[in-house]
Amino acid sequence: HRRAYEFFRTENRIDRPYIQKSNLRKAISLFVVFFFATVEIIGNQNFLSTAVTGGQREAITLATAIAFINVGISAFVGALVMRQLNHFKFSNRVIFGSLLAIYILFLIWLNFSMGAYRTLSQNALLAEYNGIELPTDAIWNLGASAMAPWLHIGILDPSGWALIVMGIAFAAIGLFDGYQFDDVYPGYGKVGNKMDEKKNEYLSNEKKFVDEGNKIYRSTIKSAKDFETADDHDRQEWSGLINTCQDVYL
């Protein structure tokens, strides 16, 4: 794996060691995604529940779907697409840069559509509250109309703008959180992590063998000292017997 790591560095013209992200840092990154997704779900639900014609159920559905895209999908895009902007191949940077630009435009369109839909729904509810009966088709066409948000920028209310700003901001957080989750050069973190895993495995095995060898060494030394002590005792006993024989026969 060391050889594969060095080959990857050479092939991709990288002159720096890979940046290892600790498990704690990765856990924090995952928590950030979960936290901001939860915050956006709650925030979107509060903004939408009093405005959309479908009530609380529609608000929860829309809030969850938008938060999943803005934060969750954006984190994946940051990890898989945004890192390609650092690739040494110009073609990779162009292709994935274009995909990233399309995704960012999609996020802007999506969140402006949400803001427009919230404003249009609020206006429809206010009209009904004031006794103005709207055709059923008009209410159902609110969603279709909101998909062209540039037509409604001039009528967006503060809550609509709040939805837009919050959604785009959280999407940006998701993108950069995914981008920074591992080494920012595509594939470099994976190769580096594999090398470190094998290195740690080798060091663990080495420590295990060294500890086992030290244990055997200490056991051998102890046995040798026990034999030496027993041998000294036997010599002393034999010497005593010799002296006794000499005293008796000489």
Side-chain angles (χ1 to χ4, degrees):
H1 287 276
R2 177 73 185 184
R3 194 173 293 175
Y5 172 77
E6 293 297 340
F7 177 78
F8 186 92
R9 287 187 61 181
T10 302
E11 185 182 38
N12 289 273
R13 306 171 188 175
I14 303 173
D15 58 359
R16 61 169 179 83
Y18 93 102
I19 300 173
Q20 184 182 26
K21 302 297 176 73
S22 66
N23 290 332
L24 175 62
R25 183 165 180 176
K26 290 183 177 181
I28 292 174
S29 291
L30 293 175
F31 173 77
V32 166
V33 170
F34 176 78
F35 174 77
F36 280 102
T38 303
V39 170
E40 186 172 8
I41 289 173
I42 296 172
N44 286 350
Q45 182 182 339
N46 289 335
F47 279 121
L48 292 170
S49 59
T50 58
V52 295
T53 56
Q56 189 75 12
R57 182 176 297 179
E58 182 182 356
I60 293 174
T61 302
L62 284 173
T64 304
I66 297 302
F68 176 74
I69 295 172
N70 278 340
V71 183
I73 299 299
S74 291
F76 281 104
V77 171
L80 300 177
V81 177
M82 197 170 174
R83 287 182 196 161
Q84 293 289 337
L85 298 180
N86 300 317
H87 204 281
F88 81 97
K89 289 183 179 179
F90 179 73
S91 59
N92 281 50
R93 297 198 299 271
V94 171
I95 293 171
F96 287 96
S98 300
L99 291 175
L100 180 63
I102 292 171
Y103 181 72
I104 291 174
L105 289 175
F106 166 75
L107 288 175
I108 294 172
W109 168 80
L110 178 67
N111 286 285
F112 266 91
S113 294
M114 280 299 300
Y117 181 66
R118 197 268 176 202
T119 300
L120 292 172
S121 294
Q122 177 74 29
N123 292 341
L125 289 176
L126 287 174
E128 289 187 341
Y129 180 78
N130 292 326
I132 301 174
E133 292 189 9
L134 298 176
T136 304
D137 291 346
I139 296 176
W140 286 106
N141 287 334
L142 291 177
S145 180
M147 294 180 70
W150 53 87
L151 300 177
H152 310 292
I153 291 178
I155 65 169
L156 288 173
D157 60 15
S159 294
W161 279 111
L163 269 176
I164 294 168
V165 172
M166 182 175 66
I168 293 176
F170 285 6
I173 291 172
L175 276 171
F176 282 97
D177 187 70
Y179 176 76
Q180 294 286 345
F181 186 76
D182 207 343
D183 192 285
V184 296
Y185 191 90
Y188 198 22
K190 183 178 180 180
V191 174
N193 286 328
K194 282 186 177 181
M195 180 189 68
D196 279 348
E197 286 176 6
K198 290 299 179 182
K199 178 181 177 182
N200 292 333
E201 183 181 342
Y202 168 80
L203 292 175
S204 177
N205 289 332
E206 181 185 44
K207 183 178 182 302
K208 179 181 176 182
F209 289 131
V210 168
D211 290 343
E212 188 67 26
N214 288 334
K215 182 179 178 182
I216 295 172
Y217 172 76
R218 288 192 295 268
S219 177
T220 303
I221 293 298
K222 183 178 181 301
S223 297
K225 288 183 177 180
D226 290 342
F227 283 130
E228 183 180 8
T229 301
D231 188 50
D232 288 340
H233 176 74
D234 290 341
R235 282 200 300 269
Q236 290 174 4
E237 192 174 87
W238 175 254
S239 178
L241 291 174
I242 294 296
N243 292 333
T244 300
C245 288
Q246 288 177 343
D247 291 341
V248 172
Y249 296 105
L250 295 179

